[in-house]
Amino acid sequence: MVNVVDTAARRPLRADAQRNYDLILAAAQKAFAAHGAGASLEEIARRAGVGSATLHRHFPSRAALLRAVFRDRVEALCVRAEEHTLASEPGTALFSWLRDFNAYAAASRGLVASLLHDGRDADLLTEDDGCAATITSAAGQLLREAQQLGTVRPGIRTEDMLALVSGISLATEGQDDDGTQAARLLDIAIDGMRAPRCGHTDLGS
């Protein structure tokens, strides 16, 4: 369905180096979610159980680490798009995936805005690593299939959906720690996306 971001382009690592890489990436995901893009690299290294030199050997700059986190999450979101497509009819698949994306955006404290090139930390993606194109492709295919079935209004564009999620993330940043407000706002938006003839009123479907 979707060409996920190529995470295999980097040189293969020894087993111990790969373990350190994975530990740093996992720690960085948690730190960026909790503290935003300015999270302490020293704290990330400490949480990963490695020294700062090891962190910088794998990720020479903060931007490199952020890009790696983006690539990892984009790949996971594209896998979720595949899973929803296989498990549900197109409308449900699209809305379920939008909730996944919205939850990630809410947990990322606005980092998704960088991914979608809205101007905040836009330099993070000056290298064409394919993140934005990949997530747009995943969302676009889900949307087309839902529109073909008549579940979603025909005038909605992929860019509209992604901008909506980005906007919800920014609007609730700093005041919605558990993501409930972001989820509620997305449910309202999803209800407005439904094609009138479908007559759905259940926001949870």
Side-chain angles (χ1 to χ4, degrees):
M1 173 182 169
V2 177
N3 291 321
V4 299
V5 178
D6 183 7
T7 57
R10 58 188 178 86
R11 183 180 304 174
L13 300 173
R14 300 190 317 271
D16 58 337
Q18 183 65 57
R19 184 174 60 254
N20 287 339
Y21 180 96
D22 293 339
L23 288 170
I24 294 167
L25 194 61
Q29 289 175 353
K30 293 178 180 178
F32 291 144
H35 305 294
S40 166
L41 297 184
E42 289 74 17
E43 177 64 14
I44 290 172
R46 188 190 67 77
R47 289 189 181 191
V50 303
S52 292
T54 299
L55 183 150
H56 287 290
R57 186 160 56 249
H58 287 291
F59 304 100
S61 66
R62 179 182 299 275
L65 183 53
L66 281 164
R67 278 194 294 269
V69 170
F70 279 143
R71 285 194 297 269
D72 186 74
R73 297 312 304 148
V74 166
E75 182 171 355
L77 285 167
C78 289
V79 169
R80 290 295 291 156
E82 295 273 8
E83 292 171 349
H84 287 311
T85 297
L86 293 173
S88 309
E89 57 86 19
T92 299
L94 172 64
F95 299 147
S96 296
W97 183 83
L98 281 175
R99 291 187 177 99
D100 289 340
F101 188 37
N102 192 50
Y104 165 61
S108 298
R109 295 172 60 90
L111 292 182
V112 141
S114 299
L115 178 63
L116 298 179
H117 294 278
D118 79 330
R120 175 181 293 195
D121 299 328
D123 60 311
L124 295 177
L125 295 179
T126 52
E127 296 180 10
D128 183 16
D129 61 10
C131 283
T134 300
I135 210 72
T136 300
S137 177
Q141 185 154 341
L142 288 168
L143 175 62
R144 284 191 299 274
E145 291 174 357
Q147 288 175 325
Q148 288 168 3
L149 187 67
T151 307
V152 173
R153 295 175 182 273
I156 296 171
R157 304 176 304 164
T158 305
E159 294 79 5
D160 298 333
M161 293 195 313
L162 299 183
L164 178 65
V165 174
S166 180
I168 289 173
S169 173
L170 291 173
T172 58
E173 185 176 358
Q175 55 185 342
D176 185 29
D177 291 340
D178 61 358
T180 56
Q181 184 182 22
R184 187 167 59 251
L185 290 174
L186 181 66
D187 279 343
I188 293 170
I190 284 175
D191 197 44
M193 290 171 59
R194 299 184 193 277
R197 70 182 181 83
C198 293
H200 288 308
T201 56
D202 178 10
L203 296 179
S205 65

